Amino acid sequence: MPTPLRLHPDRFFQPDTDTGNIARRLFAKVENLPIISPHGHTDPSWFANDTPFEDATSLFLWPDHYVHRMLYSQGIKLTQLGLAPKGGTAEPDRRKAWRLFAEHYYLFRGTPSRTWLDHAFSTVFGIDVRLDGSTADHYYDVIKAKLATPEFKPRALFKRFNIETLATTEGATDPLVHHQKIKKEWDGHVITTFRPDGVVNPEIDGFVQNMADLAELTKENVATWKGYLAALKNRRQYFREVGGATATDHGHPTPITADLPEVECQRMLDRALKGVLTPTECEMFRGQMLTEMALMSIEDGMTMQIHPGSFRNHNPELFAGYGPDRGADIPMRVSYVDNLKPLLDKVGNRADLTILLFTLDESNYARELAPLAGHYPCLTLGPAWWFHDSPEGMIRFRRNCTETAGFYNTAGFNDDTRAFLSIPARHNVARRMDCVYLAELVATKRLDEEEAADVAVALAYHLPKKAYHLK
């Protein structure tokens, strides 16, 4: 007999203890609150076109770089999963690719991916046996059959998941056609996020062409510093008006910022458009643009997110064959106190600016990030991110940051995912782990339970809305 798939309602809660019972009571206050998903990478075409998802492979296997990296680490080639490299071919049989994944599903034991996937299999599709080689075809057939029904179309799942707001992420020159269609045809609150990396990072492939596209879209002379900034302001306004954007996102390698005189900015821009900036100059150019974007956020009210600390595309062979986002990004050390100083000297004391800081370097939590957010009015801490978007990572974040930054200098939870069906699972886990931490504070007489319930609701619902300026 196949092994039953059981999602115990008390998972992560201590059994038969005061702390566990407190956590259960707190969780009951937040379990069914609407989901605020203010920053992610789901595809807006899903909601614009409402086309049914195809099958288990395209839904769970292909979009998920967490899955790719684990299987790749064990010698499984992406071609075997049905992913074709540039100019190459891949396994054409989707069912065969799914079987391979199922046979190696044991590799995900103890990982957050296992939690998210099991949650979707059980609660969304009602599957009650564990995934392995013997149940692969059963999974594939059940999922494919249900995806063909109206209840499993993207818009229906959006409503079923009780999502109040979902934000996608688009590059600065994106025409936002899918968001236009969503706004015209549907009442689901799906908005965009302004991601200007392609036109502010001279080291990105295609930067010069991206700048030409920016000039064409905005009719501004991006070869001059003033024209370049005017073009970016133009696109920010477009994203707000057409896509409902309330936030920007910046995936820079480091949090270096700068505040340079205009003549130096023009000199760097000239060299960037010629493709001759040195790596050090590229870093300084990006740093100046973080400061410029903060100034623009004061003008237009958009929340600014800074996501540094990832050595992206660390595997050159994989990047050459498949491009970005295939699981080869690696966390690296970063410093915030020195690097953010130029920006904070200029705007750090502004209460009308919201900058959300994220990190993949957990050593920064207590040493730098919590003290910074606990002082500067403009700074708020984003939640445990990416590699640390996990039960243990969430607890580490709260333990390291709360005593210095408190709860109300944090932004609650956002799921930052490409995998649509993982959204309810991720929020469920985040709410559970916050309740576990709050229960410890109640059990050790540092909070009373009524206060803890207020905090739990704020973290799950009110703080993300406030951080992202959502009504």
Side-chain angles (χ1 to χ4, degrees):
M1 289 289 292
T3 305
L5 172 60
R6 295 191 182 95
L7 291 182
H8 198 282
D10 282 346
R11 62 190 186 281
F12 306 123
F13 299 150
Q14 294 180 4
D16 301 324
T17 63
D18 288 343
T19 304
N21 291 331
I22 295 167
R24 291 180 188 87
R25 292 196 295 269
L26 294 175
F27 183 62
K29 303 282 189 181
V30 300
E31 180 178 11
N32 297 314
L33 288 175
I35 287 176
I36 307 298
S37 179
H39 172 69
H41 304 279
T42 52
D43 187 340
S45 70
W46 295 339
F47 311 106
N49 302 324
D50 203 29
T51 303
F53 295 111
E54 296 177 84
D55 55 28
T57 304
S58 61
L59 184 59
F60 289 108
L61 189 54
W62 289 348
D64 197 333
H65 58 107
Y66 290 90
V67 170
H68 302 161
R69 71 188 318 273
M70 178 62 78
L71 296 175
Y72 190 84
S73 75
Q74 291 288 307
I76 296 172
K77 297 178 180 178
L78 298 189
T79 53
Q80 295 175 273
L81 304 177
L83 296 165
K86 297 174 185 177
T89 60
E91 171 55 59
D93 187 337
R94 295 187 181 192
R95 186 183 291 269
K96 184 177 180 181
W98 179 258
R99 286 172 180 163
L100 182 67
F101 168 54
E103 290 165 0
H104 292 85
Y105 193 55
Y106 68 91
L107 296 173
F108 295 90
R109 290 169 180 167
T111 68
S113 293
R114 171 66 180 269
T115 299
W116 304 330
L117 288 164
D118 279 355
H119 187 281
F121 296 151
S122 177
T123 64
V124 179
F125 290 97
I127 299 174
D128 59 2
V129 293
R130 186 181 301 163
L131 179 62
D132 58 27
S134 69
T135 61
D137 284 341
H138 173 68
Y139 266 74
Y140 194 90
D141 292 337
V142 167
I143 292 171
K144 189 173 181 63
K146 291 195 174 185
L147 289 177
T149 65
E151 293 80 11
F152 284 80
K153 294 175 73 174
R155 294 181 184 179
L157 289 173
F158 183 98
K159 299 291 187 182
R160 176 178 168 184
F161 294 162
N162 196 22
I163 298 174
E164 181 175 309
T165 296
L166 185 149
T168 65
T169 304
E170 277 69 53
T173 58
D174 193 293
L176 303 182
V177 293
H178 298 306
H179 285 276
Q180 293 180 54
K181 187 174 182 182
I182 292 168
K183 193 174 182 179
K184 182 179 179 180
E185 297 181 358
W186 186 47
D187 63 352
H189 194 220
V190 177
I191 60 178
T192 188
T193 301
F194 181 72
R195 178 86 173 226
D197 294 4
V199 290
V200 302
N201 182 357
E203 291 185 307
I204 283 182
D205 288 342
F207 173 78
V208 174
Q209 181 59 53
N210 293 341
M211 291 287 278
D213 295 341
L214 179 65
E216 176 64 26
L217 281 170
T218 63
K219 308 307 178 187
E220 297 283 355
N221 181 6
V222 302
T224 69
W225 188 250
K226 289 181 179 178
Y228 174 47
L229 297 185
L232 289 168
K233 290 180 181 180
N234 177 298
R235 293 307 292 169
R236 288 170 67 108
Q237 182 178 356
Y238 182 84
F239 269 59
R240 294 197 311 278
E241 292 178 353
V242 174
T246 67
T248 70
D249 184 35
H250 309 272
H252 293 202
T254 74
I256 283 177
T257 61
D259 185 18
L260 303 172
E262 185 174 333
V263 63
E264 176 61 17
C265 295
Q266 182 64 56
R267 187 194 72 80
M268 289 195 302
L269 178 60
D270 293 341
R271 288 174 57 78
L273 291 174
K274 294 176 182 176
V276 296
L277 281 181
T278 67
T280 299
E281 289 175 319
C282 286
E283 188 73 90
M284 196 56 57
F285 188 94
R286 289 191 295 265
Q288 180 65 32
M289 290 315 300
L290 286 180
T291 302
E292 299 291 350
M293 287 289 160
L295 293 171
M296 292 182 198
S297 284
I298 291 173
E299 292 180 7
D300 62 28
M302 295 177 77
T303 291
M304 182 178 181
Q305 302 172 96
I306 305 177
H307 284 86
S310 177
F311 192 128
R312 296 178 186 268
N313 311 309
H314 193 273
N315 185 332
E317 181 179 331
L318 199 67
F319 179 65
Y322 292 92
D325 305 321
R326 293 304 180 189
D329 301 329
I330 308 296
M332 62 183 185
R333 292 187 300 272
V334 293
S335 174
Y336 291 83
V337 172
D338 294 333
N339 287 332
L340 288 178
K341 190 72 164 58
L343 183 150
L344 294 175
D345 285 350
K346 198 170 189 74
V347 300
N349 296 301
R350 299 290 297 253
D352 57 347
L353 170 64
T354 302
I355 299 176
L356 301 187
L357 297 179
F358 297 79
T359 190
L360 292 181
D361 180 0
E362 289 185 306
S363 69
N364 267 303
Y365 283 154
R367 187 183 68 248
E368 299 185 38
L369 287 178
L372 284 167
H375 172 73
Y376 282 101
C378 75
L379 296 182
T380 299
L381 298 185
W385 168 52
W386 200 339
F387 290 86
H388 312 307
D389 181 1
S390 65
E392 296 297 334
M394 292 169 184
I395 289 292
R396 289 194 298 270
F397 173 79
R398 292 292 172 210
R399 292 198 197 287
N400 280 290
C401 295
T402 301
E403 289 186 337
T404 305
F407 291 109
Y408 296 91
N409 283 316
T410 70
F413 179 69
N414 63 37
D415 43 78
D416 196 18
T417 184
R418 289 176 173 80
F420 179 41
L421 268 65
S422 77
I423 290 176
R426 290 167 184 251
H427 283 263
N428 184 283
V429 171
R431 293 173 184 187
R432 286 174 182 271
M433 301 321 298
D434 281 338
C435 289
V436 166
Y437 180 71
L438 287 163
E440 291 180 7
L441 299 187
V442 174
T444 54
K445 311 304 180 187
R446 287 177 282 173
L447 280 182
D448 65 40
E449 192 166 330
E450 182 181 2
E451 289 180 293
D454 286 344
V455 174
V457 171
L459 293 173
Y461 185 75
H462 296 300
L463 289 181
K465 292 189 71 169
K466 177 185 177 184
Y468 287 87
H469 301 163
L470 299 169
K471 298 179 180 178

